[in-house]
Amino acid sequence: MLPAVRTVRVPLGNRSYDIKIAPGLIPKLGAECARLKLGQRCAIITDTNVGREYAKPAYNSLLRAGFDPSLVIVPAGETAKSLKNVQSCFDRLASHRLERKSFIIALGGGVVGDLAGFVAATYLRGIPFVQVPTTLLAHVDSSVGGKVGVNLKAGKNLVGAFYQPKLVLCDLDALKTLPPREFRAGLAEIIKYGIIYDADLFARLERDLPKLLRRETKALGEIIARCCEIKADVVGQDETESGLRAILNFGHTIGHGLEAISSYGKYLHGEAISIGQVAAAKLSHELSGLSEKDSTRIADLFKRAGLPTTVKLNAGQRPKLFAAMKLDKKVSDGEIKFVLAKRIGKVVWGQRVPTAEIEKVLATDGHR
Ligand SMILES: NC(=O)c1ccc[n+]([C@@H]2O[C@H](COP(=O)([O-])OP(=O)(O)OC[C@H]3O[C@@H](n4cnc5c(N)ncnc54)[C@H](O)[C@@H]3O)[C@@H](O)[C@H]2O)c1
Ligand SMILES: [Zn+2]
């Protein structure tokens, strides 16, 4: 018997929506969309890698449910999040005559989700869209919460909107084809939820990490559902990041800085924030009362997940990293604001950290 479908509700008044988590959801895409009572015409936006594996079952499922789908395939990779691709998606939607009641399906990882979500937010001033995330990162993070957008030459995610989907379908079967490095990168966001919000989840991850690394459907379904619950809870309280939502940025100040100075090439996002979270844990030990034991537990879990936890910066890279961090987050008087942990499961945000302290934790190699 197939495991049950887990449903997590994102509570946002009349824009509330469900996240469904189960194996076998892509072949049921048409039936799921039919329940939303949207128009007949729709477009699947996907990338070359995901399209190869899942475009056909998704497309056929929509046909079977009586929809008139069009398929738009963009190149795989971060560079697909461009205004150029937004334009070519618009042209395709217009030539397929999508109108106000039509809808878009974002089938792919965070790149496709952010791009297709932005296209949905702006085409005809906004048409509905459904997220069908296919990476672990997208299951637990990017497909939930309504941040959509694209990159400019000047930096990542500089153009975008808050625009919520009508439904999120996390098909656990899709994770089977995900390259191992991408899978591990997703684990970095999962561990983050334990640190920022749920000590029991963190302890469970310490226990069940081998099951996750083997991609056991049952364990994955339970853990992904818990992460989605946490994100839904945070976003439900602070949709547009005026306060609490900032906790989701734990480890991201240093992480984004590392991504920027390596021109988004060397590290996957999950790898950069793994290093960033271990550094933030060390800062938390220095500045916000995180015990040395918990700081060590955090570093150990990232290591066991096969993620990098330290970075060696040469003299030239160091000032570049600080410049990038200062661009990324609000700075006052040479102090960069951080999310810091008080203990595993509890963080505080808006903490001012002197650059000298950051220098210190980045200079230490181990975590002791
Ligand atoms: N909107 C948000 O709240 C939010 C949050 C976090 C990250 N993001 C964004 O998400 C993006 C990163 O997303 P990502 O890590 O999912 O990367 P991605 O979308 O680039 O996917 C990673 C790679 O895996 C391939 N792939 C995806 N699913 C696959 C599958 N099931 N089988 C085989 N290959 C598959 C893709 O083609 C790609 O090559 C970044 O642009 C980041 O800014 C957005
Ligand atoms: Zn992240």
Side-chain angles (χ1 to χ4, degrees):
M1 213 180 74
L2 284 176
V5 178
R6 290 167 201 283
T7 304
V8 175
R9 185 101 179 135
V10 185
L12 290 166
N14 61 6
R15 290 171 300 118
S16 299
Y17 56 96
D18 284 339
I19 307 163
K20 295 190 178 180
I21 302 140
L25 288 177
I26 291 175
K28 293 185 193 141
L29 173 64
E32 289 290 344
C33 289
R35 294 150 65 119
L36 298 173
K37 307 245 176 297
L38 304 167
Q40 197 200 6
R41 252 179 244 136
C42 56
I44 301 172
I45 300 180
T46 189
D47 72 20
T48 44
N49 293 337
V50 180
R52 200 178 307 124
E53 304 277 351
Y54 305 107
K56 210 166 165 190
Y59 188 91
N60 288 342
S61 165
L62 288 163
L63 277 184
R64 279 198 308 275
F67 291 105
D68 174 10
S70 164
L71 183 62
V72 184
I73 300 178
V74 300
E78 186 67 35
T79 49
K81 264 174 61 172
S82 68
L83 286 170
K84 188 173 141 272
N85 276 334
V86 171
Q87 167 88 55
S88 60
C89 288
F90 285 158
D91 290 340
R92 292 288 305 278
L93 303 186
S95 69
H96 194 61
R97 289 180 297 119
L98 262 73
E99 33 81 34
R100 289 299 287 273
K101 284 189 121 186
S102 307
F103 61 100
I104 288 173
I105 292 129
L107 174 67
V111 163
V112 164
D114 284 11
L115 169 73
F118 183 70
V119 168
T122 45
Y123 181 74
L124 302 179
R125 298 199 182 82
I127 64 172
F129 87 115
V130 172
Q131 287 271 20
V132 186
T134 61
T135 63
L136 187 54
L137 177 132
H139 275 202
V140 297
D141 191 2
S142 60
S143 70
V144 178
K147 279 192 187 175
V148 297
V150 296
N151 305 328
L152 297 181
K153 272 202 198 79
K156 269 188 64 161
N157 302 323
L158 291 182
V159 175
F162 287 100
Y163 193 68
Q164 302 292 342
K166 295 289 176 211
L167 173 71
V168 181
L169 295 177
C170 298
D171 185 339
L172 298 169
D173 286 339
L175 299 176
K176 289 181 184 154
T177 54
L178 195 62
R181 190 175 166 203
E182 297 288 349
F183 187 86
R184 289 193 297 270
L187 290 173
E189 299 283 4
I190 290 182
I191 296 170
K192 181 189 81 181
Y193 287 113
I195 300 170
I196 64 171
Y197 216 73
D198 186 348
D200 291 341
L201 171 65
F202 191 91
R204 174 157 190 201
L205 291 172
E206 290 180 310
R207 207 171 55 239
D208 286 349
L209 185 68
K211 290 185 188 169
L212 294 182
L213 289 169
R214 287 197 297 272
R215 306 191 196 185
E216 289 182 13
T217 302
K218 184 167 176 288
L220 275 173
E222 288 164 6
I223 299 276
I224 289 168
R226 180 62 193 135
C227 294
C228 288
E229 265 170 23
I230 295 172
K231 182 140 189 198
D233 194 13
V234 171
V235 170
Q237 292 178 57
D238 177 23
E239 184 182 5
T240 55
E241 200 168 326
S242 49
L244 179 73
R245 189 166 177 164
I247 69 172
L248 298 171
N249 293 328
F250 181 74
H252 280 56
T253 304
I254 291 173
H256 283 156
L258 287 171
E259 286 180 274
I261 64 165
S262 55
S263 310
Y264 305 99
K266 184 169 192 287
Y267 297 110
L268 296 179
H269 175 69
E271 295 167 344
I273 62 151
S274 171
I275 296 168
Q277 289 182 78
V278 173
K282 289 179 197 162
L283 285 173
S284 304
H285 174 55
E286 298 288 331
L287 302 170
S288 62
L290 183 73
S291 68
E292 180 156 12
K293 181 166 162 269
D294 278 358
S295 173
T296 306
R297 281 173 73 197
I298 288 170
D300 286 348
L301 190 53
F302 284 107
K303 271 187 211 152
R304 285 176 56 209
L307 286 158
T309 55
T310 55
V311 59
K312 279 212 163 55
L313 294 170
N314 61 37
Q317 287 168 317
R318 206 163 279 269
K320 280 195 195 137
L321 176 66
F322 281 92
M325 283 196 291
K326 285 176 183 170
L327 270 185
D328 186 57
K329 288 281 168 286
K330 291 180 201 85
V331 184
S332 58
D333 305 328
E335 290 176 323
I336 299 173
K337 285 194 181 158
F338 270 74
V339 182
L340 295 179
K342 288 176 117 35
R343 56 179 188 276
I344 288 174
K346 175 80 192 150
V347 289
V348 282
W349 70 92
Q351 301 298 299
R352 289 179 182 186
V353 175
T355 45
E357 286 290 338
I358 307 169
E359 290 263 10
K360 208 165 92 189
V361 299
L362 286 175
T364 47
D365 223 359
H367 50 273
R368 270 164 240 270

